[in-house]
Amino acid sequence: MQRIGEALSRFTHRYVPDSFIFAILLTLVVYAMGLVFTDRGPYQLVLDWYGGFWNLLAFGMQMTLILVTGYALANTAVVRRGLQRLADWPRAPRQAVALVAFVTGALGLINYGLSLVAGALLALEVGRSCARRGIKVHFPLLVAAGYIGLMIWHGGLSGSAPLTVNTPGHFLEQQMGLLPLTETLFRPFNIIVALVLLFLSPWIMARMHPADGEEVAMPPALAGSSGNGAAAAAEPPLASGGPAGQLTLAERLENSRVLVGLVVVAGVVSIVSAFAQKGIAALDINMVIFIFLVLGLLLHGTPIRYAQAVADGVRSASGVILQFPFYAGIMGIMTSSGLVAVIANWFVAISTPLTFPFWIFVSAALVNLAVPSGGGQWAVQGPIVIQAAQALNLDLGKAVMAVAFGDELTNMIQPFWALPLLGMTGLRAGQILGYTAVVMLAAFVVMSVGLVLLP
């Protein structure tokens, strides 16, 4: 299994370009399919592409904010101190790897942005703690463990597809209406799959730790550092531009805990009121973003600290910001030309009620290699899946989660979401994807069984 993972790692390192290139290539593929399988001409398809290009601006903003607010929350002093305490727990290399994988997976079920950043910070802190205590841990494997949350996240509380279809005004509402979370995230099959992966993944990662003498040590520059740029930026010192060290009015406002307190109180009132009125149905994508924004403000304490943490997070969301209009353009071609109906009929032709979720899952895993954003993938694949499911009169909730499972599965061989992690740890994608690919193979079996056999 380890050799298979290393082979997959070499392949992705050599042949997987930047995800923006994939967005362009996928646009060209869909355009060519429109020419072949529909009656639209070249000029009409270009107009279809531009006609859809701006249709996902609101959705793209939601995806950006869910990543950025999670990033800002992970970069609070409280979270970092908690990670530092956790880092001293392991007493052996395998324990260190398993700890990082489990914590990262658990955080992934809460928020994928939080998992991404906290996973990187925890891998760094565990590596430093082990170095101080003379525990020889394989650093690339430790960092790979910090990426495991991205294989579980879409079945959790920040899952783009299930939260989107539970949000009023979503782009498929006229076609399918609203789908409550009791039909997606809180179904038995999803809960069981999430829990199995949460405990199985750390065990697999730990078993891959190399023998003594074969470890790759943490770089001395990282091992001797007490922090990193992103973390330090979350707590800037109080500026002092006035005479004799006095704070100016602008600086007092920037560092005012009263302003943050007012926003937090208003936010808590809004959250409590929403859940009191709607119950669990209040947990749509906007509510998740809002909860993390309020928590981030509370834990950062001042407006300027939170603003700077968000600024750092926006860098990690640059791919989402750039690529979502292209995903919207792809959706414009598919819906306006009728290509979405053509592809949906292909799935209907090869599927039975039992196998339909499995084939959607497999197709989503492949599409994720070209469309690494979960929200972007739902924008491209959602119309096809829902139309096919309705044609077969099948369970829409399981169809949505089949896309979610496929999207998260191949993150383990897709380096797009690993970029913040790799940037903070100084590693290359090829150094970690071999290990995560092995976990992916086991997860494929677990997810397949969950979709086909569990209720």
Side-chain angles (χ1 to χ4, degrees):
M1 292 289 285
Q2 190 172 10
R3 286 195 296 270
I4 292 172
E6 290 171 353
L8 287 171
S9 177
R10 288 193 297 270
F11 175 84
T12 56
H13 182 65
R14 183 176 182 126
Y15 295 108
V16 175
D18 184 85
S19 57
F20 180 48
I21 307 303
F22 267 127
I24 296 175
L25 293 176
L26 185 62
T27 301
L28 297 177
V29 169
V30 171
Y31 181 83
M33 291 178 67
L35 289 175
V36 174
F37 296 109
T38 74
D39 58 0
R40 309 287 271 192
Y43 175 69
Q44 290 174 308
L45 286 173
V46 169
L47 296 184
D48 292 339
W49 174 72
Y50 182 75
F53 204 77
W54 307 114
N55 285 348
L56 293 179
L57 289 182
F59 187 37
M61 188 63 172
Q62 289 172 323
M63 293 299 101
T64 300
L65 284 173
I66 204 168
L67 175 59
V68 168
T69 54
Y71 187 105
L73 181 58
N75 256 327
T76 59
V78 171
V79 172
R80 291 202 311 276
R81 282 196 298 269
L83 295 177
Q84 289 167 357
R85 291 192 181 98
L86 280 176
D88 291 333
W89 284 10
R91 294 293 180 264
R94 287 186 174 182
Q95 291 177 4
V97 172
L99 172 70
V100 173
F102 179 81
V103 172
T104 305
L107 292 175
L109 291 175
I110 299 173
N111 179 278
Y112 72 89
L114 177 64
S115 175
L116 269 178
V117 182
L121 294 176
L122 182 59
L124 288 169
E125 293 300 336
V126 169
R128 290 172 188 141
S129 177
C130 288
R132 287 195 306 270
R133 293 179 289 147
I135 300 173
K136 296 180 179 179
V137 64
H138 191 68
F139 186 61
L141 182 61
L142 195 64
V143 174
Y147 191 42
I148 289 299
L150 267 289
M151 194 186 67
I152 304 176
W153 78 276
H154 216 146
L157 297 180
S158 65
S160 303
L163 287 179
T164 297
V165 297
N166 186 44
T167 301
H170 72 87
F171 64 91
L172 291 176
E173 185 174 7
Q174 290 185 348
Q175 183 178 350
M176 63 180 293
L178 294 178
L179 204 61
L181 297 183
T182 51
E183 295 296 315
T184 52
L185 293 183
F186 300 131
R187 291 276 288 277
F189 78 88
N190 183 59
I191 295 171
I192 292 171
V193 167
L195 290 176
V196 169
L197 293 178
L198 180 61
F199 288 95
L200 179 63
S201 300
W203 182 81
I204 295 175
M205 296 296 292
R207 297 297 297 175
M208 285 192 290
H209 196 280
D212 290 344
E214 297 179 8
E215 307 93 345
V216 175
M218 188 178 192
L222 288 176
S225 172
S226 61
N228 59 69
E235 292 194 26
L238 294 177
S240 179
Q246 294 180 356
L247 295 176
T248 65
L249 176 60
E251 290 163 351
R252 289 181 183 276
L253 291 173
E254 289 173 347
N255 292 283
S256 172
R257 295 185 181 274
V258 173
L259 291 179
V260 165
L262 292 173
V263 176
V264 168
V265 169
V268 170
V269 170
S270 301
I271 293 168
V272 171
S273 175
F275 279 98
Q277 294 177 22
K278 300 180 181 179
I280 194 63
L283 194 66
D284 59 19
I285 197 167
N286 294 327
M287 180 55 70
V288 171
I289 293 169
F290 190 66
I291 290 171
F292 277 91
L293 184 146
V294 172
L295 278 175
L297 280 167
L298 175 66
L299 295 179
H300 278 285
T302 68
I304 191 63
R305 286 178 179 172
Y306 190 72
Q308 293 190 2
V310 167
D312 288 335
V314 169
R315 296 187 186 98
S316 68
S318 60
V320 175
I321 296 170
L322 173 62
Q323 292 171 39
F324 256 78
F326 285 85
Y327 300 149
I330 291 169
M331 192 175 75
I333 294 175
M334 297 181 75
T335 55
S336 297
S337 69
L339 184 60
V340 63
V342 173
I343 298 176
N345 289 332
W346 293 348
F347 280 105
V348 171
I350 67 170
S351 298
T352 67
L354 181 65
T355 62
F356 177 76
F358 174 77
W359 289 119
I360 294 300
F361 165 55
V362 171
S363 67
L366 296 174
V367 171
N368 182 58
L369 296 175
V371 187
S373 164
Q377 177 163 349
W378 179 248
V380 172
Q381 200 169 5
I384 300 171
V385 170
I386 296 303
Q387 183 161 332
Q390 289 174 330
L392 289 169
N393 196 28
L394 296 180
D395 184 340
L396 295 184
K398 188 161 273 194
V400 171
M401 293 311 298
V403 175
F405 282 7
D407 166 71
E408 63 188 5
L409 178 73
T410 45
N411 281 339
M412 297 297 96
I413 55 171
Q414 160 61 272
F416 175 71
W417 290 114
L419 294 179
L421 174 80
L422 297 172
M424 295 171 71
T425 58
L427 297 183
R428 293 177 291 103
Q431 292 176 276
I432 71 167
L433 292 184
Y435 302 112
T436 55
V438 175
V439 184
M440 181 193 75
L441 295 176
F444 175 81
V445 177
V446 174
M447 292 175 177
S448 299
V449 170
L451 283 169
V452 176
L453 300 180
L454 297 181

